[in-house]
């Protein structure tokens, strides 16, 4: 049901002229970022590039295992969910009014992660009156999960550097550099997918979304949707 609603969001964008694939400044910025990642991979070689990619993707699982206990602790000590939802509800009503949707929906990119984090909350039908409360809970889980992904990535890199395995490899062969270029490009694509999901989640926070015309319908969003669907099963 939510997958259909996510498609409805994209269809709404097509109707407004922003669902058609087009090369915008967002795609150009993504290409620059991807080029930077590819060049970094070429200069550092295959080993370092695979370390970057592996550590970041490897942080997805421990982040999933630890973000729920943290939220439980914060809810017990400081009622974090109640505070966040209370802060969010007025904004959610504005978003719901601006979206002009008659049913529940999730953002097309961030929704893949949200369904992975809380499948039980995204399969049951929800009325329009209950939707802002659901959005608030899912957003809090989404932001907590991304925060833990960043923390575990930094932690793993620190461990790697302390063990002396994160040093730059010298005397790289051309073959090693070329493979590093591909690994660096994969790392850049993965980061772009996560960044796109974060930007997509902001559509549930702000009624005025000035970036939508340049963001949705781009090749970046299409690629990110494919990658996130493969990773999180959306």
């Amino acid at each position: 049901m939510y997958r259909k609603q996510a498609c409805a969001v994209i269809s709404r964008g097509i109707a407004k002229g922003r669902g058609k694939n087009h090369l915008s400044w967002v795609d150009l910025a993504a290409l620059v970022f991807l080029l930077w990642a590819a060049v970094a991979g070429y200069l550092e070689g295959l080993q370092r590039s695979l370390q970057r990619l592996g550590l970041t993707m490897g942080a997805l699982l421990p982040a999933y295992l630890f973000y729920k206990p943290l939220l439980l602790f914060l809810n017990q000590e400081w009622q974090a969910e109640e505070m966040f939802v209370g802060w969010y509800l007025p904004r959610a009503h504005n978003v719901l009014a601006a979206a002009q949707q008659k049913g529940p929906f999730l953002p097309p990119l961030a929704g893949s992660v949200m369904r992975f984090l809380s499948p039980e909350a995204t399969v049951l039908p929800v009325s329009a009156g209950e939707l802002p409360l659901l959005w608030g809970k899912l957003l809090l889980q989404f932001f907590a999960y991304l925060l833990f992904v960043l923390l575990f990535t930094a932690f793993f890199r620190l461990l790697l550097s302390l063990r002396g395995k994160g040093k730059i490899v010298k005397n790289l062969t051309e073959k090693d550099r070329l493979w590093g270029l591909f690994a660096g490009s994969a790392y850049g694509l993965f980061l772009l997918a996560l960044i796109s999901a974060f930007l997509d989640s902001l559509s549930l926070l702000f009624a005025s979304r000035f970036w939508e015309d340049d963001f949705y319908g781009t090749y970046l969003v299409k690629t990110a949707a494919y990658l996130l669907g493969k990773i999180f099963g959306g």
Side-chain angles (χ1 to χ4, degrees), residues 83-164:
M83 293 175 59
F84 180 83
V85 172
W87 170 84
Y88 172 71
L89 283 179
R91 293 161 178 80
H93 289 296
N94 294 334
V95 171
L96 187 62
Q100 297 179 349
Q101 290 285 320
K102 295 183 179 180
F105 68 92
L106 293 175
L109 302 182
S112 296
V113 185
M114 291 176 179
R115 283 188 291 271
F116 170 77
L117 297 177
S118 186
E120 69 283 353
T122 57
V123 295
L124 298 176
V126 179
S127 65
E130 298 172 323
L131 186 57
L133 182 61
L134 174 64
W135 279 348
K137 293 180 179 180
L138 292 178
L139 271 176
L140 182 60
Q141 292 181 1
F142 177 78
F143 291 146
Y145 178 68
L146 286 188
L147 176 61
F148 264 84
V149 171
L150 292 176
L151 291 177
F152 273 105
T153 300
F155 177 70
F156 290 156
R157 288 189 178 182
L158 177 61
L159 287 181
L160 198 66
S161 63
L162 291 177
R163 295 185 61 182

Side-chain angles (χ1 to χ4, degrees), residues 1-232:
M1 181 176 182
Y2 279 88
R3 187 176 301 176
K4 294 180 180 179
Q5 294 296 342
C7 294
V9 176
I10 299 178
S11 299
R12 179 164 55 94
I14 295 175
K16 291 184 178 181
R18 55 182 173 81
K20 299 178 181 179
N21 291 331
H22 61 278
L23 189 67
S24 73
W25 67 268
V26 176
D27 284 317
L28 295 178
L31 286 175
V32 171
F33 183 87
L34 189 59
L35 180 62
W36 165 81
V39 171
Y42 178 83
L43 295 177
E44 295 179 346
L46 178 62
Q47 179 179 335
R48 288 272 294 180
S49 300
L50 286 180
Q51 285 176 355
R52 290 179 182 273
L53 178 61
L55 291 179
T56 307
M57 294 194 69
L60 297 179
L61 179 58
Y64 176 75
L65 297 176
F66 281 91
Y67 90 95
K68 286 186 178 180
L70 173 67
L71 287 181
L72 181 61
F73 172 77
L74 293 178
N75 288 334
Q76 291 176 344
E77 295 295 328
W78 295 288
Q79 293 76 45
E81 182 176 298
E82 182 179 345
M83 293 175 59
F84 180 83
V85 172
W87 170 84
Y88 172 71
L89 283 179
R91 293 161 178 80
H93 289 296
N94 294 334
V95 171
L96 187 62
Q100 297 179 349
Q101 290 285 320
K102 295 183 179 180
F105 68 92
L106 293 175
L109 302 182
S112 296
V113 185
M114 291 176 179
R115 283 188 291 271
F116 170 77
L117 297 177
S118 186
E120 69 283 353
T122 57
V123 295
L124 298 176
V126 179
S127 65
E130 298 172 323
L131 186 57
L133 182 61
L134 174 64
W135 279 348
K137 293 180 179 180
L138 292 178
L139 271 176
L140 182 60
Q141 292 181 1
F142 177 78
F143 291 146
Y145 178 68
L146 286 188
L147 176 61
F148 264 84
V149 171
L150 292 176
L151 291 177
F152 273 105
T153 300
F155 177 70
F156 290 156
R157 288 189 178 182
L158 177 61
L159 287 181
L160 198 66
S161 63
L162 291 177
R163 295 185 61 182
K165 294 185 178 182
K167 298 180 180 179
I168 297 178
V169 180
K170 299 181 179 180
N171 302 321
L172 294 171
T173 64
E174 188 64 21
K175 182 179 180 180
D176 190 66
R177 291 185 184 276
L178 288 176
W179 281 111
L181 184 146
F182 290 118
S185 300
Y187 174 69
L189 277 175
F190 179 68
L191 288 184
L192 284 173
L194 292 182
I195 293 172
S196 298
F198 172 76
L199 293 176
D200 185 42
S201 70
L202 298 182
S203 63
L204 297 181
L205 280 173
F206 303 105
S208 176
R209 303 186 288 268
F210 59 89
W211 70 84
E212 281 192 345
D213 290 337
D214 294 321
F215 183 67
Y216 292 104
T218 60
Y219 292 101
L220 171 63
V221 169
K222 185 177 180 180
T223 304
Y226 176 80
L227 291 176
L228 292 172
K230 290 296 183 180
I231 296 172
F232 296 101

